[in-house]
Amino acid sequence: MNLDNFYTVQALKLVEEHTLSVILQLNQEHEVFKGHFPNHPVLPGVAMLQIIKELTEKHYKTLLFMHTSNRVKFLTPVNPFERDTLEFHLTFQQEENTLKVKNSTTFVDGVTVMQCSLVFAKLG
């Protein structure tokens, strides 16, 4: 998925040793929103999972492959023209060849957008 210029990281904070908080702003004009869905843009769930992968790769400076996903819940649709700023709360558990990530994504006002648990295989 080509997410070039899809979002801009506004703030990144290491909350605890294994917990990261990232506030990002979506690019309302990105091509993804023109196709999903025309005249009714919604942030695709797969794009949120890709953002988690990219944030985790940057934090750990390694390439990852999503191995499994558990309890993926999309709770509130994201229309980027109504609310374009999200906060990703990522908690990491590192093992030998995998990285477990628990995520809660919210709007900056605290409304929950998505929750999930992912396991990534390390490629790099």
Side-chain angles (χ1 to χ4, degrees):
M1 173 182 297
N2 182 358
L3 293 184
D4 291 340
N5 301 312
F6 186 56
Y7 61 89
T8 303
V9 173
Q10 301 293 313
L12 188 142
K13 178 181 170 186
L14 191 60
V15 179
E16 296 175 359
E17 183 179 353
H18 300 288
T19 304
L20 187 66
S21 174
V22 181
I23 297 174
L24 59 84
Q25 183 175 21
L26 300 169
N27 175 0
Q28 301 169 340
E29 301 303 319
H30 195 275
E31 291 294 316
V32 166
F33 297 118
K34 293 175 184 166
H36 196 268
F37 298 97
N39 301 317
H40 301 285
V42 176
L43 177 61
V46 68
M48 285 192 269
L49 295 173
Q50 180 68 22
I51 290 169
I52 294 167
K53 177 182 176 280
E54 290 179 7
L55 294 173
T56 304
E57 285 177 330
K58 287 178 187 174
H59 182 69
Y60 280 95
K61 297 176 179 68
T62 190
L63 294 175
L64 299 171
F65 175 80
M66 187 183 300
H67 184 267
T68 58
S69 59
N70 298 307
R71 297 182 298 276
V72 179
K73 296 179 183 178
F74 299 102
L75 303 167
T76 307
V78 178
N79 178 332
F81 292 94
E82 294 174 0
R83 295 181 180 177
D84 65 354
T85 305
L86 299 171
E87 185 166 3
F88 287 77
H89 306 272
L90 307 164
T91 302
F92 307 109
Q93 182 181 346
Q94 195 168 185
E95 296 183 1
E96 187 174 333
N97 294 317
T98 62
L99 188 58
K100 294 180 180 180
V101 180
K102 288 187 179 180
N103 170 75
S104 176
T105 302
T106 62
F107 291 115
V108 291
D109 63 7
V111 174
T112 303
V113 172
M114 176 186 70
Q115 295 176 332
C116 66
S117 296
L118 308 171
V119 177
F120 293 102
K122 295 178 187 177
L123 299 177

